[in-house]
Amino acid sequence: MTALLEVEGLRVRLPTPTGFATVVDGVDYHVEQAQVFGVAGESGSGKTMSMLALLGLLPPGSVVEGRAAFGGKDLLRLRGRDLRAVSGRDIGMVFQDPMTSLHPMLSVGRQLTEHVRRHLGLGRRAAVERAEELLVQVRIPDPTSALHAYPHQFSGGMRQRIAIAIALACGPRLLIADEPTTALDVTVQAGILRLLDGLRREHDLSVILITHDLAVMSSIADRVSIFYAGRVVESGSRASVLPHPRHPYTRALLDALPHPEAARDTPLVAIKGTPPSPQQIPVGCPYHPRCPYAIEVCTTDDPPLAPVNGRRLACHVDPFDE
Ligand code: SF4
């Protein structure tokens, strides 16, 4: 497999009124051609920040370190025109809530055609043809009429399909989908996931799927990384990590999933405590205040992410070693 994107030692520090907060702390991962790479973790684990850093979309004053090799370039070194040539063209991004990524006052056709005209330099007629083609690709019924409609005239699922069409407009090689199904109900969610999976197969597209929901990730991801407190704590193929999680945090995320077949009075399992704020990351393993398996060394030494039987794991104890 060829890696389309290779990220090494990514570190992101955001300015705050009391100094810098480290929200991503030395993350490594790679995304292979035509594969879905799933990134999971609770809110505030650094998932989204690690992706926004690649596209130069962090708040002003942020400090980014590391390397992100994509198509022979280091994304973290690109600025201005060079960055815009990649972001939105070679890399498309879909956000969680399409109502915030779509402009409510502009027709769907205008939003699609402006994008392709700016990035691909198409003339008016060619841009309209491309826009219609994109709406067909994302399975919008009656694409000709849809071009004249406004975002509020569509359901949440259809709006998300339109946001995906815009992200695909310039034929990107990589699509970053940040919680693309969170605002949708379960059946619509399944339709969006099938669409992403189909686009990956038909267009040789690589996808980074960011989610807090391991059930969503397990339905289409090829490889997964679990983020906690700005670090990767476990990563590997979906087939090895999700059926047999070895990090206590991965296991806790899976245990917290509701099981439809469970008896109605079965209580949901919650993860004890809350994720640490980036300004107050505990010394040692950042998960130790919440971890039922913590031992003395967990309170003093941060475990490195090390290879263990075909996956990478950051845990001193490895309590689920089989
Ligand atoms: Fe738990 Fe210790 Fe492993 Fe951290 S290193 S996950 S605290 S057992």
Side-chain angles (χ1 to χ4, degrees):
M1 281 287 173
T2 322
L4 177 70
L5 170 69
E6 277 195 77
V7 174
E8 283 177 8
L10 178 64
R11 187 164 277 110
V12 176
R13 289 186 292 146
L14 299 184
T16 74
T18 54
F20 280 98
T22 303
V23 293
V24 179
D25 196 2
V27 159
D28 299 339
Y29 62 86
H30 66 279
V31 182
E32 288 166 4
Q33 189 75 42
Q35 288 218 337
V36 177
F37 172 58
V39 176
E42 290 163 288
S43 298
S45 59
K47 311 181 299 288
T48 298
M49 287 299 163
S50 68
M51 301 304 154
L52 295 181
L54 305 182
L55 300 175
L57 295 176
L58 293 172
S62 304
V63 177
V64 180
E65 294 164 28
R67 181 175 157 272
F70 177 83
K73 296 174 181 146
D74 183 352
L75 294 176
L76 304 184
R77 305 282 167 269
L78 297 181
R79 297 286 179 272
R81 184 188 293 248
D82 293 336
L83 182 58
R84 283 195 297 278
V86 174
S87 157
R89 184 173 173 147
D90 293 332
I91 303 176
M93 183 139 186
V94 179
F95 295 92
Q96 177 176 335
D97 181 359
M99 276 318 268
T100 56
S101 56
L102 296 176
H103 196 304
M105 305 296 284
L106 298 180
S107 70
V108 166
R110 171 101 182 264
Q111 297 187 56
L112 275 164
T113 53
E114 271 197 359
H115 196 71
V116 292
R117 290 185 78 173
R118 189 171 66 238
H119 281 284
L120 300 180
L122 296 184
R124 195 176 158 69
R125 182 185 289 265
V128 171
E129 282 170 10
R130 174 71 181 141
E132 245 187 87
E133 190 184 296
L134 287 160
L135 293 180
V136 171
Q137 258 179 40
V138 298
R139 329 276 194 260
I140 295 285
D142 193 2
T144 311
S145 307
L147 286 177
H148 301 287
Y150 289 81
H152 73 271
Q153 295 174 271
F154 295 89
S155 66
M158 287 295 148
R159 284 197 289 264
Q160 194 56 294
R161 286 171 187 262
I162 293 165
I164 292 172
I166 293 174
L168 293 175
C170 302
R173 289 184 285 160
L174 174 65
L175 184 73
I176 302 176
D178 187 1
E179 305 270 10
T181 59
T182 300
L184 307 174
D185 67 42
V186 177
T187 46
V188 180
Q189 205 177 73
I192 295 291
L193 292 174
R194 273 198 303 276
L195 173 66
L196 288 175
D197 199 32
L199 291 168
R200 169 263 287 266
R201 290 172 201 280
E202 288 161 28
H203 301 279
D204 225 17
L205 185 70
S206 302
V207 178
I208 299 179
L209 176 69
I210 304 172
T211 181
H212 64 275
D213 184 342
L214 291 189
V216 164
M217 197 161 81
S218 70
S219 61
I220 64 167
D222 298 290
R223 293 180 42 263
V224 300
S225 274
I226 311 298
F227 276 47
Y228 187 78
R231 299 149 166 84
V232 174
V233 295
E234 185 164 12
S235 68
S237 70
R238 174 198 58 183
S240 65
V241 172
L242 296 188
H244 309 289
R246 282 176 64 164
H247 195 282
Y249 180 59
T250 315
R251 181 152 298 232
L253 284 176
L254 283 161
D255 288 346
L257 289 176
H259 294 283
E261 68 282 4
R264 288 184 64 158
D265 54 356
T266 307
L268 290 173
V269 181
I271 306 177
K272 187 185 87 173
T274 53
S277 105
Q279 282 124 314
Q280 291 175 323
I281 302 288
V283 174
C285 170
Y287 188 57
H288 86 256
R290 307 174 76 186
C291 181
Y293 305 95
I295 57 175
E296 187 64 29
V297 67
C298 304
T299 63
T300 54
D301 295 1
D302 191 2
L305 186 67
V308 180
N309 291 347
R311 75 181 74 192
R312 293 190 307 154
L313 182 69
C315 181
H316 293 301
V317 178
D318 193 4
F320 305 109
D321 181 14
E322 287 166 354

